Amino acid sequence: MSPTATSRPVATAPPLPSPAPSARDPFFDNAKYLAIVLVAVGHAWEPLTHTSRTALALYLTVFTFHMPAFILMSGYFSRGFDFTPAKIKRLVTGVAVPYLVFQTGYILFQHWAEDDAPPDPFTLTNPWYLNWFLAALFVWRLTTPVWQVLRWPVPIAFAISIGAMVAPHTGPDFDLMRVLQFLPFFVIGLRMKPEHFALVQKRWVRIAAVPVFACAIAVAWFLAPRIDSGWFYRNDSVQDLHQPLWTAPVMGLALFGCAAVLTAGFFAWVPRRRTWFTALGAGTISGFLLHGFVIKMSRWWGWYDAAAWVRQPVGMVVVTALAVIMITVLCTAPVRRVLRFALEPRMTWAFRPSAP
């Protein structure tokens, strides 16, 4: 079985490293929590998309923008990355170590939980399921100084992205196809400033976002039976999707335009003030990585086939509510404390004393 195999492949991302506690902005904590809720809900909807056109339309709408939103924030918070000891230490403890821990944990979990499939081979270079984003973030962040000195970083990133779409032999190591296809959103995030986020918070943008999302859902409902959802995951070339080469720039730019509009609409409705869920934004990485175990169990153990009503409209409401509750609990402070050894290790023993 493929490490990322489900009934329909998913491309999603973990939450992003946060600024220092003294510099925390409620807006970004709110955005991370709301985005991780969309991630969990999208994963919970996926089995329902095979029998419900409405579920598929909502699913495709969410997958159009939640990855770009996460990656854009990732680039924004990577603006100050350089090769100083402190930044390298944070990259190792905040990205590389969680990748290694959860890569091991996911594969061992698959060996234990999925009885009707052969055990996946243990590998550190082929990210398993949700772990692909940690691998991508590690690569993107290492290249940050390069993008910071280029004169035209965004056009170059787009050229690389389109080039990846016509390169079917790009290997699975570190999910390089997704790393390259999603690269423009990270580079755009590197170029963004606080005033850009303030711009989408204007009242007229918030009002316009409502009909825009309604229109997006309607278009997704129309296209649902006609479009290959593989376009939204960015892990296949156009040849893999059985499309001609000219579709690479056309679909690449079309998906980018849709993602940009919906991402702006998403940020427009993110509260800037502190709310009851603001504190949960600091724990979204634990929620993201842990909910993958629950999602996989729901597929392997046939939870969606337990009763006929699960695939009815009432089932979608129940599944959505349970997904929101699950991800909220997994983002709480007690869960973060339990996972601190894996997600926020100090590892003073691993670094030279000269490293701050």
Side-chain angles (χ1 to χ4, degrees), residues 16 69-78 133 137 140-141 186:
L16 312 168
F70 268 124
I71 297 171
L72 187 144
M73 286 191 288
S74 175
Y76 180 76
F77 285 119
S78 298
F133 186 80
L137 183 59
W140 288 329
R141 193 158 287 175
F186 180 83

Side-chain angles (χ1 to χ4, degrees), residues 10-32:
V10 293
T12 192
L16 312 168
S18 305
S22 59
R24 297 197 76 92
D25 185 338
F27 172 78
F28 288 107
D29 277 335
N30 293 337
K32 287 189 289 182

Side-chain angles (χ1 to χ4, degrees), residues 59-124:
Y59 176 85
L60 294 179
T61 302
V62 167
F63 269 77
T64 300
F65 74 91
H66 77 66
M67 270 299 306
F70 268 124
I71 297 171
L72 187 144
M73 286 191 288
S74 175
Y76 180 76
F77 285 119
S78 298
R79 293 173 300 162
F81 180 82
D82 53 32
F83 292 111
T84 58
K87 300 294 176 59
I88 294 297
K89 178 180 178 181
R90 183 174 177 83
L91 181 65
V92 171
T93 59
V95 181
V97 170
Y99 174 85
L100 295 174
V101 171
F102 278 87
Q103 181 76 354
T104 303
Y106 278 141
I107 294 176
L108 292 177
F109 174 72
Q110 188 269 339
H111 289 188
W112 168 75
E114 193 177 20
D115 295 331
D116 59 348
D120 287 343
F122 181 80
T123 172
L124 295 178

Side-chain angles (χ1 to χ4, degrees), residues 32-271:
K32 287 189 289 182
Y33 170 76
L34 294 174
I36 202 65
V37 166
L38 291 176
V39 169
V41 168
H43 284 160
W45 284 342
E46 192 275 334
L48 305 178
T49 63
H50 304 285
T51 54
S52 170
R53 188 170 178 176
T54 299
L56 181 55
L58 293 172
Y59 176 85
L60 294 179
T61 302
V62 167
F63 269 77
T64 300
F65 74 91
H66 77 66
M67 270 299 306
F70 268 124
I71 297 171
L72 187 144
M73 286 191 288
S74 175
Y76 180 76
F77 285 119
S78 298
R79 293 173 300 162
F81 180 82
D82 53 32
F83 292 111
T84 58
K87 300 294 176 59
I88 294 297
K89 178 180 178 181
R90 183 174 177 83
L91 181 65
V92 171
T93 59
V95 181
V97 170
Y99 174 85
L100 295 174
V101 171
F102 278 87
Q103 181 76 354
T104 303
Y106 278 141
I107 294 176
L108 292 177
F109 174 72
Q110 188 269 339
H111 289 188
W112 168 75
E114 193 177 20
D115 295 331
D116 59 348
D120 287 343
F122 181 80
T123 172
L124 295 178
T125 60
N126 189 4
W128 203 95
Y129 195 37
L130 305 178
N131 230 16
W132 80 267
F133 186 80
L134 291 180
L137 183 59
F138 189 87
V139 174
W140 288 329
R141 193 158 287 175
L142 280 179
T143 64
T144 293
V146 176
W147 301 110
Q148 297 284 35
V149 301
L150 290 177
R151 180 169 294 181
W152 302 291
V154 176
I156 292 174
F158 267 109
I160 293 174
S161 177
I162 300 301
M165 296 179 72
V166 295
H169 300 298
T170 301
D173 290 347
F174 300 108
D175 229 330
L176 190 58
M177 180 64 78
R178 279 179 175 149
V179 173
L180 298 179
Q181 288 199 34
F182 278 120
L183 177 63
F185 298 104
F186 180 83
V187 176
I188 290 171
L190 289 174
R191 309 298 296 176
M192 292 193 70
K193 299 178 181 179
E195 50 264 32
H196 295 135
F197 292 98
L199 181 64
V200 299
Q201 287 273 302
K202 292 183 178 296
R203 180 179 176 82
W204 71 266
V205 180
R206 188 176 294 112
I207 294 173
V210 176
V212 166
F213 269 97
C215 181
I217 295 171
V219 172
W221 190 89
F222 173 77
L223 293 177
R226 300 173 174 86
I227 191 170
D228 189 333
S229 57
W231 286 110
F232 298 85
Y233 309 134
R234 313 296 183 94
N235 61 345
D236 290 309
S237 66
V238 293
Q239 293 94 329
D240 296 327
L241 295 172
H242 309 290
Q243 300 296 325
L245 294 180
W246 63 263
T247 59
V250 173
M251 288 298 294
L253 293 175
L255 288 172
F256 170 78
C258 294
V261 172
L262 294 180
T263 298
F266 168 74
F267 283 127
W269 278 95
V270 172

